[in-house]
């Protein structure tokens, strides 16, 4: 009997070890799930809406990343966009071939560099990759939904704002300083092995499709299949406006080339 118990214990230990190795391997290879329009349901905490998963022991716990943003009447200079995103205005100007004091036409696609790190551990399901910035509410009546989807155009979500701020979402008033976790991600081990250096969080707009987005950034090494894999998508899946799509890049993106 004792021998049988010993063997059972050894098999259990072996099983647990194999399971742990499998989990670690999966984490190092895993891509990120596309948010799939779930960001509109503020009271539902889907893991995909809280951020892109990460591990502090991963190959790239922090990295230089990129996001896109479309200029508006309120954010129409490299300086104002950089201030909103907590990044460097001279780099925003350089990447988009503007001077720092340029006034940018509305709805112009802007590329911005951000520092991305594995943090957000206090959020349920964390840690997540994110870039930190702050936003001061301009008027009473602004909501986490409007900040996420109007001001930040989908670069954050109302779910992540709720989870990482102490303010009651029903009692927001002008002047409150809101912590904004901007969605970003670092390349997985597989992506690094395949030659990818950066992930761009591209904000989808009306009429976009994956193939078109891949062509826009092909000079930076983007391709159709790598985008599908990075977002755990299949060709048949639908992508939605105002949601971010991760685009793996082998070279720095810039507006002239894209």
């Amino acid at each position: 009997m004792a021998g049988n118990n010993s063997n059972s214990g050894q098999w259990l230990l072996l099983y647990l070890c194999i399971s742990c190795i499998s989990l670690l391997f999966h984490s190092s290879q895993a891509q990120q799930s596309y948010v799939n329009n779930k960001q509109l349901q503020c009271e539902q905490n889907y893991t995909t809406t809280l951020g892109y998963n990460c591990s502090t022991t991963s190959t790239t716990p922090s990295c230089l990343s990129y996001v896109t943003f479309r200029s508006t009447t309120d954010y129409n200079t490299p300086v104002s966009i950089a201030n909103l995103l907590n990044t460097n205005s001279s780099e925003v100007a350089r990447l988009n071939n503007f001077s720092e004091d340029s006034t940018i036409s509305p709805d112009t696609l802007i590329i911005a560099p951000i520092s991305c790190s594995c943090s957000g551990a206090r959020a349920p399901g964390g840690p997540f990759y994110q870039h930190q910035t702050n936003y001061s509410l301009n008027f009473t009546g602004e909501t986490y939904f409007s900040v996420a989807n109007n001001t930040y155009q989908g670069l954050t979500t109302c779910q992540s704002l709720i989870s990482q701020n102490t303010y009651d979402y029903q009692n927001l008033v002008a002047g409150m300083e809101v912590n904004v976790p901007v969605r970003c991600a670092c390349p997985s081990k597989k992506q690094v092995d395949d030659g990818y250096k950066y992930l761009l969080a591209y904000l989808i707009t009306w009429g976009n499709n994956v193939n078109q987005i891949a062509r826009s950034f092909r000079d930076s090494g983007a391709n159709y299949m790598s985008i599908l894999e990075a977002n755990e998508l299949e060709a048949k899946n639908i992508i939605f406006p105002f949601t971010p799509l991760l685009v793996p890049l082998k070279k720095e993106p810039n507006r002239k080339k894209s």
Side-chain angles (χ1 to χ4, degrees), residues 134-197:
N134 294 302
Y135 174 75
S136 182
L137 298 178
N138 289 316
F139 57 90
T140 299
E142 280 191 288
T143 64
Y144 286 137
F145 182 92
S146 67
V147 170
N149 296 291
N150 297 340
T151 306
Y152 283 88
Q153 303 177 2
L155 286 175
T156 188
T157 65
C158 50
Q159 292 93 339
S160 60
L161 290 174
I162 291 170
S163 70
Q164 297 195 41
N165 284 280
T166 57
Y167 304 126
D168 181 359
Y169 74 95
Q170 294 181 321
N171 295 295
L172 300 179
V173 296
M176 284 181 170
E177 193 82 4
V178 175
N179 174 48
V180 179
V182 174
R183 292 175 72 91
C184 62
C186 296
S188 67
K189 182 181 184 303
K190 182 180 184 301
Q191 288 166 334
V192 171
D193 290 344
D194 289 341
Y196 293 103
K197 296 181 179 180

Side-chain angles (χ1 to χ4, degrees), residues 13-43:
L13 181 60
L14 178 61
Y15 172 79
L16 291 173
C17 288
I18 292 172
S19 297
C20 289
I21 292 170
S22 175
L23 179 61
L24 288 171
F25 178 78
H26 176 76
S27 297
S28 69
Q29 298 294 321
Q31 308 306 303
Q32 303 289 353
S33 296
Y34 175 57
V35 70
N36 203 28
N37 235 22
K38 293 177 180 177
Q39 82 286 354
L40 301 178
Q41 304 170 43
C42 292
E43 295 182 7

Side-chain angles (χ1 to χ4, degrees), residues 49-67:
T49 62
L50 295 175
Y52 295 120
N53 287 110
C54 65
S55 167
T56 54
T57 60
S58 67
T59 305
T60 46
S62 63
C63 64
L64 172 64
S65 186
Y66 296 90
V67 297

